[in-house]
């Protein structure tokens, strides 16, 4: 869904924000009800490739709608289902595997889907995105001075605040809305010197999108003083805490040439998720499976995989981190196997801290995993 603002300055703020900030945001579907959507992004340090993995859990119908078949077919399309239409031109830099529907017999809403995607050359992809952003921003601020732009941001945020409840009424609360709201609040804090830096950056082919080691960074030009002030602002801290419910890791940093929204700090795989708890049609569960052409469960070692287990397997495949459970099943941590130290098992958590535990304190599945590792 795209919304366009036109304010007294002629500054098309909303469209620019969508192009700048939507590369990792998951949106809902107008007519299907999806219990949870997850997007995982892996930016390896030793390769120019980026791996992405989508998992869609609990696909259901909203009020027996007649568009269900159309929407299921749309999920199969190899495109940016989580991006606005302006990003479609970037498809030439991407490779999609076929979307696979499957069912989770343990769930009341059994229909799920998963798909892998990769960007073989992230340098070319970033260059294309940055050229597109620069052209868009240049067009947006053409013939406007710094004070016009600052006033346009203020008006745009006020209009967005009025529009957001209507959007949520149609598709429910989604991470994109909170993300945009926070960025608009940040831009409203920009001083005239920082807005001038945005104008100058466009002329210098600024790198708004950057793929650094294990991370994706969005950089908005600003003076050091302005960026430092915004990072320390309690409103920015509160916004980050709200965003971490759906996007992790995410940080707001003061960089050498602007304000940095960084995803994937500390070498962690980036996780974006969205849960939709709006009403669905319980009587339509069998019909939606039929419309998806009766997919089978994904079986591994005789056990049907759930959406969550597929996510955990992708994380383990790319990073070596997996979920470890204690023998009672009440406690769990995400960690990487670091070997045996005496009679203890060494587990290394994502933040680098170490945990030593006896193997007999671990669950059966974890002990089986350790037996395989020994062979």
């Amino acid at each position: 869904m795209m919304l366009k603002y036109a304010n007294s300055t002629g500054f098309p703020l909303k469209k620019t924000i969508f192009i700048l900030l939507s590369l990792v945001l998951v949106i809902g579907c107008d007519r299907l009800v999806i219990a949870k959507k997850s997007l995982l992004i892996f930016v390896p340090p030793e390769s120019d490739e980026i791996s992405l993995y989508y998992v869609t859990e609990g696909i259901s119908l909203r009020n027996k709608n007649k568009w269900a078949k159309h929407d299921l077919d749309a999920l199969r399309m190899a495109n940016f289902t989580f991006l606005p239409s302006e990003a479609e031109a970037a498809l030439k830099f991407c490779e999609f595997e076929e979307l696979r529907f499957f069912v989770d017999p343990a769930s009341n809403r059994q229909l799920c889907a998963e798909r892998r995607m990769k960007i073989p050359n992230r340098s070319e992809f970033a260059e294309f995105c940055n050229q597109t952003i620069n052209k868009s921003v240049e067009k947006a601020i053409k013939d406007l001075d710094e004070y016009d732009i600052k006033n346009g941001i203020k008006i745009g945020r006020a209009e967005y605040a009025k529009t957001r409840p209507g959007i949520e009424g149609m598709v429910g609360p989604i991470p994109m809305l909170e993300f945009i709201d926070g960025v608009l609040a940040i831009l409203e804090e920009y001083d005239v010197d920082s807005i001038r830096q945005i104008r100058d950056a466009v002329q210098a082919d600024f790198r708004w999108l950057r793929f650094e080691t294990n991370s994706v960074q969005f950089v908005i030009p600003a003076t050091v003083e302005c960026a430092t002030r915004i990072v320390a602002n309690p409103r920015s801290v509160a916004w980050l805490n709200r965003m971490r419910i759906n996007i992790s890791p995410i940080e707001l940093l003061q960089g050498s040439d602007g304000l940095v929204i960084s995803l994937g700090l500390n070498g962690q795989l980036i996780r974006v998720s969205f849960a939709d708890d709006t009403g669905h049609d319980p009587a339509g569960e069998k019909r939606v499976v039929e419309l998806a052409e009766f997919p089978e469960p994904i079986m591994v070692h005789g056990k049907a995989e759930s959406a969550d287990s597929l996510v955990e397997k992708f994380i383990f495949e790319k990073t070596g981190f997996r979920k470890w459970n204690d023998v009672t099943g009440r406690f769990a941590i995400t960690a990487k196997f670091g070997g045996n130290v005496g009679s203890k098992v060494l587990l290394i958590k994502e933040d680098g801290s170490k945990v030593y535990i006896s193997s007999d304190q671990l669950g059966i599945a974890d002990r089986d995993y350790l037996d395989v590792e020994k062979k």
Side-chain angles (χ1 to χ4, degrees):
M1 176 181 296
M2 281 296 297
L3 300 174
K4 298 181 181 179
Y5 286 162
N7 55 44
S8 59
T9 65
F11 181 50
L13 177 66
K14 182 70 185 309
K15 185 173 181 180
T16 302
I17 294 299
F18 264 102
I19 295 171
L20 285 173
L21 305 170
S22 62
L23 288 172
V24 294
L25 300 177
V26 179
I27 65 174
C29 179
D30 288 345
R31 295 173 290 255
L32 294 176
V33 182
I34 297 173
K36 184 178 180 181
K37 295 181 74 173
S38 297
L39 168 64
L40 292 90
I41 307 171
F42 179 58
V43 187
E46 73 284 352
S47 169
D48 202 35
E49 181 178 293
I50 300 175
S51 298
L52 298 94
Y53 185 50
Y54 308 93
V55 180
T56 306
E57 175 182 356
I59 304 171
S60 188
L61 302 182
R62 191 189 306 271
N63 301 325
K64 299 181 181 179
N65 73 80
K66 64 181 180 180
W67 292 99
K69 182 65 166 64
H70 174 273
D71 288 343
L72 287 174
D73 289 342
L75 287 179
R76 290 188 174 97
M77 295 175 62
N79 60 19
F80 288 131
T81 59
F82 59 101
L83 296 181
S85 58
E86 282 85 350
E88 293 294 305
L91 288 174
K92 62 185 177 182
F93 299 97
C94 308
E95 297 178 4
F96 292 84
E97 293 186 9
E98 184 176 354
L99 180 132
R100 176 170 59 166
F101 285 112
F102 66 97
V103 293
D104 177 6
S107 173
N108 291 328
R109 296 162 65 176
Q110 294 188 1
L111 185 62
C112 304
E114 57 101 39
R115 160 177 270 155
R116 291 189 180 221
M117 167 194 166
K118 68 178 180 180
I119 300 172
N121 191 322
R122 67 194 192 210
S123 300
E124 290 183 356
F125 180 79
E127 181 179 1
F128 171 83
C129 291
N130 287 322
Q131 288 176 356
T132 301
I133 293 170
N134 274 306
K135 290 177 182 177
S136 177
V137 175
E138 182 177 23
K139 182 178 179 180
I141 64 178
K142 185 178 181 181
D143 300 326
L144 301 178
D145 64 23
E146 290 79 5
Y147 295 94
D148 287 334
I149 296 171
K150 187 170 178 61
N151 185 50
I153 291 170
K154 182 178 181 179
I155 294 173
R157 188 185 179 205
E159 291 179 341
Y160 180 77
K162 294 178 183 178
T163 306
R164 179 174 175 178
I167 301 173
E168 292 181 328
M170 289 185 291
V171 300
I174 54 178
M176 176 180 284
L177 302 182
E178 185 63 43
F179 197 94
I180 293 173
D181 186 61
V183 173
L184 288 174
I186 286 170
L187 289 174
E188 197 171 6
E189 295 290 328
Y190 263 47
D191 53 34
V192 171
D193 288 339
S194 294
I195 292 174
R196 188 174 296 116
Q197 285 206 195
I198 292 178
R199 294 183 61 88
D200 294 342
V202 171
Q203 302 301 320
D205 295 326
F206 190 75
R207 293 169 57 233
W208 306 79
L209 172 66
R210 306 176 187 186
F211 295 110
E212 304 296 345
T213 301
N214 298 118
S215 68
V216 179
Q217 297 185 352
F218 301 93
V219 184
I220 308 174
T223 64
V224 172
E225 293 77 15
C226 180
T228 302
R229 173 172 49 81
I230 290 174
V231 169
N233 191 315
R235 289 192 295 270
S236 299
V237 175
W239 172 70
L240 276 178
N241 289 333
R242 294 194 300 272
M243 289 306 305
R244 290 183 180 121
I245 297 172
N246 300 109
I247 302 177
S248 65
I250 179 171
E251 295 290 345
L252 190 62
L253 308 170
Q254 177 260 307
S256 60
D257 52 359
L259 193 67
V260 181
I261 303 173
S262 183
L263 310 178
L265 292 176
N266 303 321
Q268 298 180 38
L269 183 147
I270 302 163
R271 301 181 64 159
V272 184
S273 63
F274 163 53
D276 183 358
D277 59 1
T278 57
H280 66 285
D281 175 26
E285 303 311 319
K286 291 183 179 179
R287 179 168 175 257
V288 76
V289 172
E290 177 184 357
L291 292 172
E293 301 174 2
F294 299 103
E296 297 290 329
I298 297 175
M299 305 297 294
V300 177
H301 303 306
K303 181 181 179 182
E305 295 283 3
S306 66
D308 284 343
S309 65
L310 290 173
V311 166
E312 296 302 326
K313 280 182 167 56
F314 181 83
I315 294 173
F316 176 70
E317 172 192 323
K318 297 300 181 181
T319 67
F321 288 97
R322 64 189 296 275
K323 187 175 289 185
W324 299 77
N325 296 276
D326 79 329
V327 69
T328 69
R330 291 180 294 181
F331 303 99
I333 63 170
T334 298
K336 183 185 296 186
F337 176 56
N340 293 294
V341 180
S343 60
K344 301 286 187 178
V345 175
L346 170 60
L347 302 179
I348 304 172
K349 298 171 67 175
E350 290 177 303
D351 61 4
S353 62
K354 298 178 180 180
V355 175
Y356 297 89
I357 187 171
S358 299
S359 60
D360 58 7
Q361 292 179 283
L362 294 169
I364 295 175
D366 295 325
R367 280 178 273 167
D368 290 343
Y369 169 77
L370 292 173
D371 288 340
V372 173
E373 285 291 306
K374 292 176 182 177
K375 295 179 180 178

